[in-house]
Amino acid sequence: MTTTTPTSTHDAASPHVDRGGRRALLGLAGLAIGVLFLALWVPYNVSLGALTDLVGLFVLIIMATTWNLLAGYGGLVSIGQQAFVGAGGYGVIYVADQLGVPLLASVLLAGVVCAALALPTSFLVFRLVGGYFAIGTWVVAEVFKLVTTQIDALGGGSGLSLEAFRGVDRTDRVATVYWLGLTLAVLVVVGTYLLMRSRMGLALLAIRDDPTAAASLGVSVRRSQRIVYVLSSAGAGLAGALIAINTLRVAPDSIYSVNYSAFMIFIVVIGGIGTIEGPIIGAVIFFVLQQQLAQQGTWYLVALGVVAIVIVLAAPRGVWSLISRGRFSLFPVAFQVRRDRSVE
């Protein structure tokens, strides 16, 4: 009687668990090259107007990434994140002009202030679930707006203008805001990636798939969602601060506009909810459409609607799902079981 032993082929096909692979490393290397291109080549070879527009792209990436963290991973669909966009915009101008804090520190403080506002707010809105939660966040945003208009130090209903850049050459100002916007966008994306790779990230993935099952396994669902809500609000505050220093002015009707939440939802849905790559791709698509169609009046909104419908029908999981086809991820956060270490 003879016996057989496992061959090397069988050993190579043994299942193993990993995150990402060669494709992810190549993708991250490509993204790093892209960031270096944006940081070192673009500022010296495009017009000041184009740089100002690109800051808008960085704002979209920040807003979409943080909203995706909230809805795509935390399971909390908010249509009121403009509350913290507005608070961040007003906060950076007030801190920089009235308190004399350096502009970079003012931007960061605006994010901290929004996080501080989000914590007590969460105890109110978390009493609501589903669609009631979404509507509740929108009501909170309207309250933020109304309160702002009643504070004379914040300009009342007329808004505020940023004075911290007074006397600074326009070229230096635009370049400073551009590099700051790029830095914040990279930090938000990388921070989200590191969060999702952590123990908290595993909890959020479990919550996204099944909150009830996650809770039965010992995951503190409410605590995790509260942390995500605070972090997402801080990110919205950074985006609002960036908008303020890019436009040099804030007004209640514009900075607290519900359009910002609509933009976040649109970008994440067409890019791919529950992924880190999706909001980036969706922001780029939205930015291109915005630049090309903004002068077309109402047709601009029609075009956005058509694009959203086509993408949702053709790729319900977003554009990123068409690109990756589930085979790889540039920002791998989930554990995957593979059969062959040599195949990526």
Side-chain angles (χ1 to χ4, degrees), residues 273-325:
I273 192 169
T275 66
I276 297 178
E277 300 88 350
I280 299 174
I281 294 174
V284 172
I285 294 173
F286 180 79
F287 176 75
V288 172
L289 290 174
Q290 196 177 46
Q291 294 298 309
Q292 297 299 319
L293 302 174
Q295 304 300 321
Q296 303 303 317
T298 56
W299 286 105
Y300 162 59
L301 299 176
V302 173
L304 290 180
V306 170
V307 169
I309 293 172
V310 170
I311 291 178
V312 169
L313 292 176
R317 299 180 62 185
V319 173
W320 175 245
S321 67
L322 291 179
I323 298 174
S324 67
R325 298 186 181 275

Side-chain angles (χ1 to χ4, degrees), residues 256-267:
Y256 284 108
S257 174
V258 72
N259 286 340
Y260 287 125
S261 284
F263 294 164
M264 298 178 205
I265 297 171
F266 177 88
I267 290 169

Side-chain angles (χ1 to χ4, degrees), residues 25-175:
L25 291 176
L26 291 174
L28 290 175
L31 288 175
I33 293 173
V35 171
L36 290 175
F37 174 77
L38 288 172
L40 302 178
W41 188 89
V42 170
Y44 304 102
N45 293 276
V46 303
S47 66
L48 295 180
L51 289 181
T52 300
D53 291 338
L54 284 172
V55 174
L57 172 60
F58 303 147
V59 168
L60 294 175
I61 291 175
I62 293 171
M63 290 195 300
T65 298
T66 54
W67 191 87
N68 179 62
L69 180 64
L70 182 65
Y73 292 116
L76 300 170
V77 178
S78 169
I79 58 173
Q81 289 305 97
Q82 68 271 18
F84 303 103
V85 173
Y90 271 95
V92 69
I93 294 181
Y94 182 83
V95 172
D97 289 347
Q98 302 299 322
L99 304 183
V101 177
L103 198 60
L104 175 58
S106 297
V107 172
L108 299 179
L109 280 175
V112 173
V113 168
C114 288
L117 290 172
L119 183 58
T121 301
S122 69
F123 287 95
L124 296 176
V125 296
F126 277 22
R127 293 177 176 270
L128 308 172
V129 295
Y132 295 103
F133 173 83
I135 297 299
T137 58
W138 176 76
V139 172
V140 168
E142 290 299 304
V143 171
F144 274 42
K145 174 183 173 181
L146 291 174
V147 171
T148 299
T149 60
Q150 301 303 311
I151 301 176
D152 293 336
L154 298 179
S158 59
L160 292 174
S161 295
L162 180 65
E163 302 293 335
F165 272 131
R166 183 181 294 276
V168 177
D169 180 73
R170 180 170 181 258
T171 301
D172 294 337
R173 173 178 63 80
V174 172

